[in-house]
Amino acid sequence: MVGHQLRLRRETAGMRVAEFAAAIGYGEDLVRKVERGARIPRPEYLDKVDEVVGAGGFVSAMKKEMREARYPKRARDLAKLEAQAVEIGLYSNHNIHGLLQTEEHMRALFEMRQPSYSQDQVERDVAARLARHVVFDRSPSPALNFVQEEATLRRTIGGTMVLRRQLEHLLEVAELRNVTFQVMPLDCGSHAGMGGLIEVLKFQDGTAIGRSDGAFNSRPVSDPKQLRILELRYGMIRAQALTPRESLAFIEQVLGET
């Protein structure tokens, strides 16, 4: 629907796709994809269209709906919860967590999915995951605690240079005042996270929600008894992992070896 409306705005302004693309500063291919509904326009795209066609704010007003539509259905609830949480605890054992991934790293992950994703699907999922990164810009900032398995820091997803830039990004994020980053080294042996990913989100009203690959059939839980189990496991994981200072030194070491 939005794509149809944007095409009508462009045609009413008497502009062909090539002329319009040049005027708003985007490629013709992107304009065509947006107009046929294959790509969800970013906020800055809508602002530029509004300016070029003289829509008086009507196109820019679509930003809220497009921001919500950017998330695939399976990710919308998670994105909303992350936007509301005052504390987020995350343990990842298979991949670098989505909130920590660079754009090129996440794109490489989506492109290797089997069965293969279409390029449009890859772009939609990349945009959705990038949009979740606004959690770092919130004010007041939530407390963000990450524990990553060492193996996730060494796997060359997308190639050596992609991994190097990913490691450099982790160093930058780990320096943020509201972020605690730890590494679970391979030589730790068995630990409380052997069951898989753990997520625990806490909210201002005292409620919380959690999920783990190794508990409660991987479904989200809010029951205090079940949450207590996840919090206990996550606390043990953090105690068994390297300290934040040791973890930063470890990332620098891996970066030097890459």
mmCIF file of all heavy atoms in Angstrom, residues 92 94-113 122 125-127 129-130 133 148-170 258:
data_model
loop_
_atom_site.group_PDB
_atom_site.id
_atom_site.type_symbol
_atom_site.label_atom_id
_atom_site.label_comp_id
_atom_site.label_asym_id
_atom_site.label_seq_id
_atom_site.Cartn_x
_atom_site.Cartn_y
_atom_site.Cartn_z
ATOM 1 N N SER A 92 25.277 -16.189 24.340
ATOM 2 C CA SER A 92 25.231 -16.765 22.993
ATOM 3 C C SER A 92 26.361 -17.758 22.820
ATOM 4 O O SER A 92 27.522 -17.446 23.108
ATOM 5 C CB SER A 92 25.343 -15.659 21.931
ATOM 6 O OG SER A 92 24.280 -14.740 22.051
ATOM 7 N N HIS A 94 26.410 -19.990 19.829
ATOM 8 C CA HIS A 94 26.536 -20.476 18.458
ATOM 9 C C HIS A 94 26.984 -19.369 17.503
ATOM 10 O O HIS A 94 27.864 -19.578 16.680
ATOM 11 C CB HIS A 94 25.207 -21.056 17.986
ATOM 12 C CG HIS A 94 25.300 -21.785 16.683
ATOM 13 N ND1 HIS A 94 26.135 -22.868 16.496
ATOM 14 C CD2 HIS A 94 24.677 -21.583 15.484
ATOM 15 C CE1 HIS A 94 26.017 -23.304 15.253
ATOM 16 N NE2 HIS A 94 25.158 -22.535 14.612
ATOM 17 N N ASN A 95 26.370 -18.191 17.615
ATOM 18 C CA ASN A 95 26.746 -17.021 16.812
ATOM 19 C C ASN A 95 26.909 -15.817 17.721
ATOM 20 O O ASN A 95 26.404 -15.800 18.849
ATOM 21 C CB ASN A 95 25.667 -16.694 15.769
ATOM 22 C CG ASN A 95 25.600 -17.730 14.666
ATOM 23 O OD1 ASN A 95 26.619 -18.114 14.103
ATOM 24 N ND2 ASN A 95 24.393 -18.183 14.352
ATOM 25 N N ILE A 96 27.589 -14.804 17.235
ATOM 26 C CA ILE A 96 27.605 -13.527 17.932
ATOM 27 C C ILE A 96 26.175 -13.015 17.986
ATOM 28 O O ILE A 96 25.447 -13.082 17.000
ATOM 29 C CB ILE A 96 28.529 -12.528 17.214
ATOM 30 C CG1 ILE A 96 29.984 -12.992 17.356
ATOM 31 C CG2 ILE A 96 28.370 -11.115 17.764
ATOM 32 C CD1 ILE A 96 30.977 -12.198 16.542
ATOM 33 N N HIS A 97 25.760 -12.536 19.135
ATOM 34 C CA HIS A 97 24.361 -12.131 19.297
ATOM 35 C C HIS A 97 23.992 -11.021 18.313
ATOM 36 O O HIS A 97 24.815 -10.166 17.986
ATOM 37 C CB HIS A 97 24.108 -11.662 20.731
ATOM 38 C CG HIS A 97 22.654 -11.540 21.050
ATOM 39 N ND1 HIS A 97 21.921 -10.413 20.751
ATOM 40 C CD2 HIS A 97 21.777 -12.412 21.611
ATOM 41 C CE1 HIS A 97 20.673 -10.601 21.118
ATOM 42 N NE2 HIS A 97 20.553 -11.805 21.642
ATOM 43 N N GLY A 98 22.732 -11.039 17.858
ATOM 44 C CA GLY A 98 22.272 -10.085 16.855
ATOM 45 C C GLY A 98 22.471 -8.630 17.240
ATOM 46 O O GLY A 98 22.729 -7.784 16.379
ATOM 47 N N LEU A 99 22.353 -8.311 18.526
ATOM 48 C CA LEU A 99 22.537 -6.926 18.967
ATOM 49 C C LEU A 99 23.994 -6.484 18.845
ATOM 50 O O LEU A 99 24.280 -5.282 18.897
ATOM 51 C CB LEU A 99 22.068 -6.754 20.411
ATOM 52 C CG LEU A 99 20.566 -6.851 20.662
ATOM 53 C CD1 LEU A 99 20.257 -6.677 22.139
ATOM 54 C CD2 LEU A 99 19.805 -5.801 19.840
ATOM 55 N N LEU A 100 24.897 -7.438 18.683
ATOM 56 C CA LEU A 100 26.319 -7.116 18.610
ATOM 57 C C LEU A 100 26.886 -7.236 17.196
ATOM 58 O O LEU A 100 28.027 -6.873 16.959
ATOM 59 C CB LEU A 100 27.112 -8.058 19.528
ATOM 60 C CG LEU A 100 26.837 -7.942 21.029
ATOM 61 C CD1 LEU A 100 27.546 -9.067 21.773
ATOM 62 C CD2 LEU A 100 27.260 -6.589 21.569
ATOM 63 N N GLN A 101 26.089 -7.739 16.270
ATOM 64 C CA GLN A 101 26.594 -8.002 14.924
ATOM 65 C C GLN A 101 26.721 -6.732 14.080
ATOM 66 O O GLN A 101 25.873 -5.856 14.149
ATOM 67 C CB GLN A 101 25.671 -8.981 14.195
ATOM 68 C CG GLN A 101 25.662 -10.374 14.777
ATOM 69 C CD GLN A 101 24.578 -11.244 14.158
ATOM 70 O OE1 GLN A 101 23.945 -10.859 13.179
ATOM 71 N NE2 GLN A 101 24.349 -12.409 14.734
ATOM 72 N N THR A 102 27.771 -6.673 13.279
ATOM 73 C CA THR A 102 27.874 -5.619 12.278
ATOM 74 C C THR A 102 26.957 -5.967 11.114
ATOM 75 O O THR A 102 26.528 -7.111 10.960
ATOM 76 C CB THR A 102 29.311 -5.493 11.740
ATOM 77 O OG1 THR A 102 29.666 -6.723 11.088
ATOM 78 C CG2 THR A 102 30.298 -5.205 12.858
ATOM 79 N N GLU A 103 26.666 -4.981 10.285
ATOM 80 C CA GLU A 103 25.765 -5.222 9.159
ATOM 81 C C GLU A 103 26.322 -6.280 8.211
ATOM 82 O O GLU A 103 25.591 -7.173 7.762
ATOM 83 C CB GLU A 103 25.511 -3.919 8.392
ATOM 84 C CG GLU A 103 24.572 -4.088 7.213
ATOM 85 C CD GLU A 103 24.235 -2.783 6.513
ATOM 86 O OE1 GLU A 103 24.602 -1.708 7.051
ATOM 87 O OE2 GLU A 103 23.609 -2.836 5.430
ATOM 88 N N GLU A 104 27.603 -6.210 7.898
ATOM 89 C CA GLU A 104 28.161 -7.175 6.957
ATOM 90 C C GLU A 104 28.231 -8.572 7.556
ATOM 91 O O GLU A 104 28.088 -9.583 6.843
ATOM 92 C CB GLU A 104 29.540 -6.722 6.468
ATOM 93 C CG GLU A 104 30.553 -6.488 7.565
ATOM 94 C CD GLU A 104 31.850 -5.902 7.027
ATOM 95 O OE1 GLU A 104 32.003 -5.834 5.796
ATOM 96 O OE2 GLU A 104 32.717 -5.529 7.846
ATOM 97 N N HIS A 105 28.402 -8.665 8.865
ATOM 98 C CA HIS A 105 28.415 -9.968 9.525
ATOM 99 C C HIS A 105 27.030 -10.605 9.466
ATOM 100 O O HIS A 105 26.880 -11.780 9.116
ATOM 101 C CB HIS A 105 28.866 -9.814 10.982
ATOM 102 C CG HIS A 105 28.981 -11.113 11.723
ATOM 103 N ND1 HIS A 105 30.172 -11.766 11.891
ATOM 104 C CD2 HIS A 105 28.045 -11.888 12.336
ATOM 105 C CE1 HIS A 105 29.973 -12.886 12.578
ATOM 106 N NE2 HIS A 105 28.692 -12.977 12.858
ATOM 107 N N MET A 106 25.994 -9.822 9.804
ATOM 108 C CA MET A 106 24.641 -10.393 9.785
ATOM 109 C C MET A 106 24.214 -10.747 8.360
ATOM 110 O O MET A 106 23.528 -11.744 8.128
ATOM 111 C CB MET A 106 23.641 -9.451 10.456
ATOM 112 C CG MET A 106 23.459 -8.110 9.817
ATOM 113 S SD MET A 106 22.270 -7.040 10.725
ATOM 114 C CE MET A 106 23.197 -6.578 12.191
ATOM 115 N N ARG A 107 24.630 -9.944 7.391
ATOM 116 C CA ARG A 107 24.275 -10.245 6.002
ATOM 117 C C ARG A 107 24.906 -11.579 5.576
ATOM 118 O O ARG A 107 24.266 -12.396 4.899
ATOM 119 C CB ARG A 107 24.714 -9.121 5.078
ATOM 120 C CG ARG A 107 24.406 -9.399 3.605
ATOM 121 C CD ARG A 107 24.635 -8.224 2.700
ATOM 122 N NE ARG A 107 23.528 -7.268 2.778
ATOM 123 C CZ ARG A 107 23.584 -6.104 3.400
ATOM 124 N NH1 ARG A 107 24.701 -5.734 4.001
ATOM 125 N NH2 ARG A 107 22.543 -5.291 3.439
ATOM 126 N N ALA A 108 26.145 -11.807 5.972
ATOM 127 C CA ALA A 108 26.810 -13.071 5.645
ATOM 128 C C ALA A 108 26.079 -14.246 6.283
ATOM 129 O O ALA A 108 25.931 -15.308 5.668
ATOM 130 C CB ALA A 108 28.266 -13.035 6.114
ATOM 131 N N LEU A 109 25.598 -14.061 7.506
ATOM 132 C CA LEU A 109 24.858 -15.123 8.175
ATOM 133 C C LEU A 109 23.559 -15.446 7.433
ATOM 134 O O LEU A 109 23.229 -16.619 7.219
ATOM 135 C CB LEU A 109 24.526 -14.703 9.612
ATOM 136 C CG LEU A 109 25.629 -14.864 10.650
ATOM 137 C CD1 LEU A 109 25.189 -14.238 11.965
ATOM 138 C CD2 LEU A 109 25.960 -16.340 10.863
ATOM 139 N N PHE A 110 22.819 -14.405 7.049
ATOM 140 C CA PHE A 110 21.551 -14.630 6.358
ATOM 141 C C PHE A 110 21.776 -15.237 4.970
ATOM 142 O O PHE A 110 20.974 -16.048 4.510
ATOM 143 C CB PHE A 110 20.766 -13.327 6.236
ATOM 144 C CG PHE A 110 20.162 -12.868 7.532
ATOM 145 C CD1 PHE A 110 20.378 -11.572 7.994
ATOM 146 C CD2 PHE A 110 19.383 -13.710 8.291
ATOM 147 C CE1 PHE A 110 19.825 -11.140 9.191
ATOM 148 C CE2 PHE A 110 18.835 -13.289 9.498
ATOM 149 C CZ PHE A 110 19.051 -12.007 9.948
ATOM 150 N N GLU A 111 22.853 -14.854 4.318
ATOM 151 C CA GLU A 111 23.109 -15.352 2.966
ATOM 152 C C GLU A 111 23.513 -16.815 2.947
ATOM 153 O O GLU A 111 23.397 -17.477 1.916
ATOM 154 C CB GLU A 111 24.173 -14.498 2.288
ATOM 155 C CG GLU A 111 23.664 -13.114 1.889
ATOM 156 C CD GLU A 111 24.724 -12.243 1.263
ATOM 157 O OE1 GLU A 111 25.929 -12.572 1.415
ATOM 158 O OE2 GLU A 111 24.364 -11.215 0.647
ATOM 159 N N MET A 112 23.972 -17.356 4.078
ATOM 160 C CA MET A 112 24.359 -18.766 4.100
ATOM 161 C C MET A 112 23.237 -19.678 4.584
ATOM 162 O O MET A 112 23.416 -20.890 4.696
ATOM 163 C CB MET A 112 25.613 -18.954 4.957
ATOM 164 C CG MET A 112 25.411 -18.704 6.430
ATOM 165 S SD MET A 112 26.925 -19.083 7.376
ATOM 166 C CE MET A 112 28.122 -18.000 6.608
ATOM 167 N N ARG A 113 22.055 -19.098 4.866
ATOM 168 C CA ARG A 113 20.926 -19.910 5.313
ATOM 169 C C ARG A 113 20.510 -20.915 4.241
ATOM 170 O O ARG A 113 20.588 -20.637 3.058
ATOM 171 C CB ARG A 113 19.735 -19.013 5.650
ATOM 172 C CG ARG A 113 19.919 -18.139 6.882
ATOM 173 C CD ARG A 113 19.762 -18.932 8.147
ATOM 174 N NE ARG A 113 19.978 -18.110 9.327
ATOM 175 C CZ ARG A 113 19.028 -17.416 9.950
ATOM 176 N NH1 ARG A 113 17.794 -17.438 9.474
ATOM 177 N NH2 ARG A 113 19.298 -16.713 11.033
ATOM 178 N N VAL A 122 16.837 -11.442 2.509
ATOM 179 C CA VAL A 122 18.076 -11.121 3.222
ATOM 180 C C VAL A 122 18.083 -9.654 3.643
ATOM 181 O O VAL A 122 18.370 -9.325 4.799
ATOM 182 C CB VAL A 122 19.311 -11.416 2.338
ATOM 183 C CG1 VAL A 122 20.588 -10.841 2.973
ATOM 184 C CG2 VAL A 122 19.468 -12.916 2.130
ATOM 185 N N ASP A 125 15.608 -8.957 6.512
ATOM 186 C CA ASP A 125 16.065 -9.458 7.806
ATOM 187 C C ASP A 125 17.246 -8.653 8.338
ATOM 188 O O ASP A 125 17.363 -8.426 9.544
ATOM 189 C CB ASP A 125 16.429 -10.937 7.690
ATOM 190 C CG ASP A 125 15.202 -11.835 7.661
ATOM 191 O OD1 ASP A 125 14.086 -11.301 7.784
ATOM 192 O OD2 ASP A 125 15.350 -13.062 7.516
ATOM 193 N N VAL A 126 18.136 -8.227 7.439
ATOM 194 C CA VAL A 126 19.253 -7.372 7.861
ATOM 195 C C VAL A 126 18.717 -6.054 8.416
ATOM 196 O O VAL A 126 19.149 -5.585 9.476
ATOM 197 C CB VAL A 126 20.223 -7.107 6.688
ATOM 198 C CG1 VAL A 126 21.199 -5.982 7.037
ATOM 199 C CG2 VAL A 126 20.996 -8.371 6.346
ATOM 200 N N ALA A 127 17.769 -5.452 7.707
ATOM 201 C CA ALA A 127 17.187 -4.184 8.158
ATOM 202 C C ALA A 127 16.504 -4.345 9.507
ATOM 203 O O ALA A 127 16.604 -3.476 10.383
ATOM 204 C CB ALA A 127 16.191 -3.672 7.118
ATOM 205 N N ARG A 129 17.180 -6.568 11.871
ATOM 206 C CA ARG A 129 18.166 -6.758 12.939
ATOM 207 C C ARG A 129 18.903 -5.457 13.234
ATOM 208 O O ARG A 129 19.170 -5.132 14.399
ATOM 209 C CB ARG A 129 19.141 -7.877 12.550
ATOM 210 C CG ARG A 129 20.128 -8.234 13.646
ATOM 211 C CD ARG A 129 20.785 -9.584 13.388
ATOM 212 N NE ARG A 129 19.820 -10.672 13.512
ATOM 213 C CZ ARG A 129 20.138 -11.958 13.326
ATOM 214 N NH1 ARG A 129 21.386 -12.298 13.005
ATOM 215 N NH2 ARG A 129 19.224 -12.897 13.465
ATOM 216 N N LEU A 130 19.226 -4.694 12.218
ATOM 217 C CA LEU A 130 19.877 -3.402 12.441
ATOM 218 C C LEU A 130 18.982 -2.464 13.234
ATOM 219 O O LEU A 130 19.446 -1.707 14.092
ATOM 220 C CB LEU A 130 20.242 -2.757 11.097
ATOM 221 C CG LEU A 130 21.502 -3.250 10.399
ATOM 222 C CD1 LEU A 130 21.616 -2.620 9.020
ATOM 223 C CD2 LEU A 130 22.737 -2.937 11.235
ATOM 224 N N HIS A 133 19.177 -2.366 16.941
ATOM 225 C CA HIS A 133 20.353 -1.762 17.567
ATOM 226 C C HIS A 133 20.050 -0.415 18.220
ATOM 227 O O HIS A 133 20.904 0.144 18.904
ATOM 228 C CB HIS A 133 21.471 -1.595 16.536
ATOM 229 C CG HIS A 133 22.120 -2.891 16.156
ATOM 230 N ND1 HIS A 133 23.301 -2.964 15.451
ATOM 231 C CD2 HIS A 133 21.756 -4.186 16.375
ATOM 232 C CE1 HIS A 133 23.635 -4.229 15.257
ATOM 233 N NE2 HIS A 133 22.701 -4.981 15.801
ATOM 234 N N GLN A 148 29.672 -14.190 25.459
ATOM 235 C CA GLN A 148 29.852 -14.857 24.169
ATOM 236 C C GLN A 148 30.824 -16.015 24.318
ATOM 237 O O GLN A 148 31.865 -15.886 24.966
ATOM 238 C CB GLN A 148 30.409 -13.879 23.132
ATOM 239 C CG GLN A 148 29.419 -12.877 22.606
ATOM 240 C CD GLN A 148 28.412 -13.473 21.637
ATOM 241 O OE1 GLN A 148 27.326 -12.938 21.482
ATOM 242 N NE2 GLN A 148 28.763 -14.583 20.989
ATOM 243 N N GLU A 149 30.496 -17.145 23.690
ATOM 244 C CA GLU A 149 31.435 -18.257 23.639
ATOM 245 C C GLU A 149 32.632 -17.874 22.774
ATOM 246 O O GLU A 149 32.483 -17.176 21.767
ATOM 247 C CB GLU A 149 30.755 -19.487 23.043
ATOM 248 C CG GLU A 149 29.884 -20.257 24.015
ATOM 249 C CD GLU A 149 30.695 -21.042 25.043
ATOM 250 O OE1 GLU A 149 31.908 -21.261 24.829
ATOM 251 O OE2 GLU A 149 30.099 -21.437 26.067
ATOM 252 N N GLU A 150 33.794 -18.325 23.162
ATOM 253 C CA GLU A 150 35.015 -18.039 22.412
ATOM 254 C C GLU A 150 34.888 -18.447 20.948
ATOM 255 O O GLU A 150 35.350 -17.740 20.052
ATOM 256 C CB GLU A 150 36.196 -18.771 23.047
ATOM 257 C CG GLU A 150 37.486 -18.626 22.270
ATOM 258 C CD GLU A 150 38.618 -19.440 22.846
ATOM 259 O OE1 GLU A 150 38.548 -19.840 24.032
ATOM 260 O OE2 GLU A 150 39.606 -19.686 22.105
ATOM 261 N N ALA A 151 34.243 -19.577 20.689
ATOM 262 C CA ALA A 151 34.133 -20.083 19.320
ATOM 263 C C ALA A 151 33.459 -19.078 18.398
ATOM 264 O O ALA A 151 33.802 -18.976 17.216
ATOM 265 C CB ALA A 151 33.358 -21.397 19.299
ATOM 266 N N THR A 152 32.501 -18.302 18.933
ATOM 267 C CA THR A 152 31.788 -17.329 18.094
ATOM 268 C C THR A 152 32.690 -16.181 17.675
ATOM 269 O O THR A 152 32.397 -15.488 16.695
ATOM 270 C CB THR A 152 30.563 -16.761 18.829
ATOM 271 O OG1 THR A 152 30.987 -15.951 19.949
ATOM 272 C CG2 THR A 152 29.653 -17.867 19.339
ATOM 273 N N LEU A 153 33.774 -15.962 18.411
ATOM 274 C CA LEU A 153 34.700 -14.875 18.105
ATOM 275 C C LEU A 153 35.779 -15.302 17.113
ATOM 276 O O LEU A 153 36.536 -14.468 16.624
ATOM 277 C CB LEU A 153 35.368 -14.381 19.387
ATOM 278 C CG LEU A 153 34.438 -14.003 20.536
ATOM 279 C CD1 LEU A 153 35.253 -13.546 21.738
ATOM 280 C CD2 LEU A 153 33.463 -12.915 20.119
ATOM 281 N N ARG A 154 35.839 -16.587 16.827
ATOM 282 C CA ARG A 154 36.884 -17.101 15.949
ATOM 283 C C ARG A 154 36.342 -17.586 14.609
ATOM 284 O O ARG A 154 37.101 -17.759 13.662
ATOM 285 C CB ARG A 154 37.630 -18.250 16.640
ATOM 286 C CG ARG A 154 38.412 -17.811 17.872
ATOM 287 C CD ARG A 154 39.238 -18.953 18.424
ATOM 288 N NE ARG A 154 40.027 -18.564 19.585
ATOM 289 C CZ ARG A 154 41.216 -17.955 19.544
ATOM 290 N NH1 ARG A 154 41.751 -17.648 18.377
ATOM 291 N NH2 ARG A 154 41.868 -17.660 20.647
ATOM 292 N N ARG A 155 35.024 -17.804 14.525
ATOM 293 C CA ARG A 155 34.448 -18.327 13.287
ATOM 294 C C ARG A 155 34.454 -17.231 12.227
ATOM 295 O O ARG A 155 33.882 -16.163 12.430
ATOM 296 C CB ARG A 155 33.030 -18.841 13.559
ATOM 297 C CG ARG A 155 32.412 -19.605 12.403
ATOM 298 C CD ARG A 155 31.133 -20.305 12.836
ATOM 299 N NE ARG A 155 31.423 -21.423 13.732
ATOM 300 C CZ ARG A 155 30.944 -21.519 14.973
ATOM 301 N NH1 ARG A 155 30.195 -20.570 15.484
ATOM 302 N NH2 ARG A 155 31.240 -22.573 15.711
ATOM 303 N N THR A 156 35.066 -17.491 11.086
ATOM 304 C CA THR A 156 35.239 -16.458 10.057
ATOM 305 C C THR A 156 33.997 -16.328 9.170
ATOM 306 O O THR A 156 34.035 -16.598 7.969
ATOM 307 C CB THR A 156 36.474 -16.754 9.185
ATOM 308 O OG1 THR A 156 36.366 -18.106 8.688
ATOM 309 C CG2 THR A 156 37.747 -16.591 9.978
ATOM 310 N N ILE A 157 32.901 -15.910 9.766
ATOM 311 C CA ILE A 157 31.673 -15.663 9.021
ATOM 312 C C ILE A 157 31.908 -14.509 8.048
ATOM 313 O O ILE A 157 32.254 -13.406 8.451
ATOM 314 C CB ILE A 157 30.509 -15.303 9.960
ATOM 315 C CG1 ILE A 157 30.275 -16.414 10.985
ATOM 316 C CG2 ILE A 157 29.242 -14.996 9.168
ATOM 317 C CD1 ILE A 157 29.810 -17.709 10.399
ATOM 318 N N GLY A 158 31.744 -14.742 6.751
ATOM 319 C CA GLY A 158 31.921 -13.684 5.761
ATOM 320 C C GLY A 158 33.361 -13.424 5.356
ATOM 321 O O GLY A 158 33.620 -12.557 4.527
ATOM 322 N N GLY A 159 34.315 -14.119 5.973
ATOM 323 C CA GLY A 159 35.714 -13.923 5.622
ATOM 324 C C GLY A 159 36.498 -13.211 6.718
ATOM 325 O O GLY A 159 35.939 -12.692 7.689
ATOM 326 N N THR A 160 37.799 -13.165 6.537
ATOM 327 C CA THR A 160 38.700 -12.629 7.558
ATOM 328 C C THR A 160 38.449 -11.157 7.857
ATOM 329 O O THR A 160 38.404 -10.734 9.017
ATOM 330 C CB THR A 160 40.169 -12.818 7.126
ATOM 331 O OG1 THR A 160 40.422 -14.216 6.935
ATOM 332 C CG2 THR A 160 41.117 -12.285 8.199
ATOM 333 N N MET A 161 38.274 -10.332 6.828
ATOM 334 C CA MET A 161 38.089 -8.901 7.057
ATOM 335 C C MET A 161 36.759 -8.608 7.748
ATOM 336 O O MET A 161 36.670 -7.702 8.583
ATOM 337 C CB MET A 161 38.185 -8.140 5.726
ATOM 338 C CG MET A 161 39.578 -8.146 5.117
ATOM 339 S SD MET A 161 40.875 -7.651 6.307
ATOM 340 C CE MET A 161 40.342 -5.993 6.733
ATOM 341 N N VAL A 162 35.730 -9.367 7.412
ATOM 342 C CA VAL A 162 34.444 -9.201 8.098
ATOM 343 C C VAL A 162 34.603 -9.539 9.573
ATOM 344 O O VAL A 162 34.080 -8.834 10.448
ATOM 345 C CB VAL A 162 33.356 -10.084 7.449
ATOM 346 C CG1 VAL A 162 32.073 -10.066 8.284
ATOM 347 C CG2 VAL A 162 33.049 -9.600 6.041
ATOM 348 N N LEU A 163 35.341 -10.608 9.858
ATOM 349 C CA LEU A 163 35.577 -10.985 11.253
ATOM 350 C C LEU A 163 36.381 -9.912 11.977
ATOM 351 O O LEU A 163 36.069 -9.559 13.130
ATOM 352 C CB LEU A 163 36.320 -12.318 11.319
ATOM 353 C CG LEU A 163 36.708 -12.781 12.729
ATOM 354 C CD1 LEU A 163 35.476 -12.935 13.612
ATOM 355 C CD2 LEU A 163 37.488 -14.094 12.672
ATOM 356 N N ARG A 164 37.393 -9.369 11.335
ATOM 357 C CA ARG A 164 38.198 -8.319 11.979
ATOM 358 C C ARG A 164 37.343 -7.111 12.332
ATOM 359 O O ARG A 164 37.429 -6.585 13.445
ATOM 360 C CB ARG A 164 39.359 -7.894 11.052
ATOM 361 C CG ARG A 164 40.498 -8.892 10.961
ATOM 362 C CD ARG A 164 41.680 -8.284 10.213
ATOM 363 N NE ARG A 164 42.165 -7.063 10.871
ATOM 364 C CZ ARG A 164 43.024 -7.056 11.881
ATOM 365 N NH1 ARG A 164 43.511 -8.184 12.359
ATOM 366 N NH2 ARG A 164 43.423 -5.920 12.410
ATOM 367 N N ARG A 165 36.519 -6.679 11.392
ATOM 368 C CA ARG A 165 35.663 -5.517 11.679
ATOM 369 C C ARG A 165 34.636 -5.847 12.761
ATOM 370 O O ARG A 165 34.260 -4.977 13.553
ATOM 371 C CB ARG A 165 34.995 -5.036 10.392
ATOM 372 C CG ARG A 165 35.960 -4.309 9.455
ATOM 373 C CD ARG A 165 35.259 -3.660 8.283
ATOM 374 N NE ARG A 165 34.838 -4.625 7.283
ATOM 375 C CZ ARG A 165 35.590 -4.985 6.238
ATOM 376 N NH1 ARG A 165 36.801 -4.467 6.076
ATOM 377 N NH2 ARG A 165 35.136 -5.852 5.347
ATOM 378 N N GLN A 166 34.186 -7.100 12.797
ATOM 379 C CA GLN A 166 33.259 -7.512 13.843
ATOM 380 C C GLN A 166 33.923 -7.456 15.219
ATOM 381 O O GLN A 166 33.340 -6.972 16.190
ATOM 382 C CB GLN A 166 32.753 -8.930 13.567
ATOM 383 C CG GLN A 166 31.841 -9.495 14.637
ATOM 384 C CD GLN A 166 30.540 -8.728 14.785
ATOM 385 O OE1 GLN A 166 29.692 -8.762 13.904
ATOM 386 N NE2 GLN A 166 30.379 -8.028 15.898
ATOM 387 N N LEU A 167 35.148 -7.928 15.299
ATOM 388 C CA LEU A 167 35.883 -7.887 16.562
ATOM 389 C C LEU A 167 36.153 -6.455 17.003
ATOM 390 O O LEU A 167 36.045 -6.118 18.195
ATOM 391 C CB LEU A 167 37.194 -8.668 16.431
ATOM 392 C CG LEU A 167 37.065 -10.179 16.227
ATOM 393 C CD1 LEU A 167 38.432 -10.800 15.926
ATOM 394 C CD2 LEU A 167 36.432 -10.848 17.440
ATOM 395 N N GLU A 168 36.483 -5.603 16.048
ATOM 396 C CA GLU A 168 36.707 -4.183 16.369
ATOM 397 C C GLU A 168 35.417 -3.557 16.895
ATOM 398 O O GLU A 168 35.447 -2.740 17.834
ATOM 399 C CB GLU A 168 37.202 -3.443 15.126
ATOM 400 C CG GLU A 168 38.611 -3.842 14.712
ATOM 401 C CD GLU A 168 39.001 -3.332 13.327
ATOM 402 O OE1 GLU A 168 38.095 -2.823 12.608
ATOM 403 O OE2 GLU A 168 40.184 -3.440 12.961
ATOM 404 N N HIS A 169 34.294 -3.939 16.305
ATOM 405 C CA HIS A 169 32.999 -3.425 16.763
ATOM 406 C C HIS A 169 32.700 -3.897 18.193
ATOM 407 O O HIS A 169 32.209 -3.124 19.022
ATOM 408 C CB HIS A 169 31.895 -3.892 15.822
ATOM 409 C CG HIS A 169 30.526 -3.466 16.234
ATOM 410 N ND1 HIS A 169 30.125 -2.139 16.248
ATOM 411 C CD2 HIS A 169 29.445 -4.186 16.673
ATOM 412 C CE1 HIS A 169 28.872 -2.063 16.663
ATOM 413 N NE2 HIS A 169 28.445 -3.281 16.939
ATOM 414 N N LEU A 170 33.027 -5.144 18.492
ATOM 415 C CA LEU A 170 32.814 -5.662 19.843
ATOM 416 C C LEU A 170 33.627 -4.868 20.866
ATOM 417 O O LEU A 170 33.142 -4.584 21.970
ATOM 418 C CB LEU A 170 33.201 -7.140 19.910
ATOM 419 C CG LEU A 170 32.287 -8.135 19.186
ATOM 420 C CD1 LEU A 170 32.838 -9.550 19.328
ATOM 421 C CD2 LEU A 170 30.862 -8.065 19.726
ATOM 422 N N THR A 258 44.027 -12.652 13.921
ATOM 423 C CA THR A 258 43.168 -12.802 12.727
ATOM 424 C C THR A 258 43.779 -12.125 11.504
ATOM 425 O O THR A 258 44.194 -10.980 11.594
ATOM 426 C CB THR A 258 41.785 -12.208 13.015
ATOM 427 O OG1 THR A 258 41.225 -12.838 14.160
ATOM 428 C CG2 THR A 258 40.849 -12.419 11.818
#
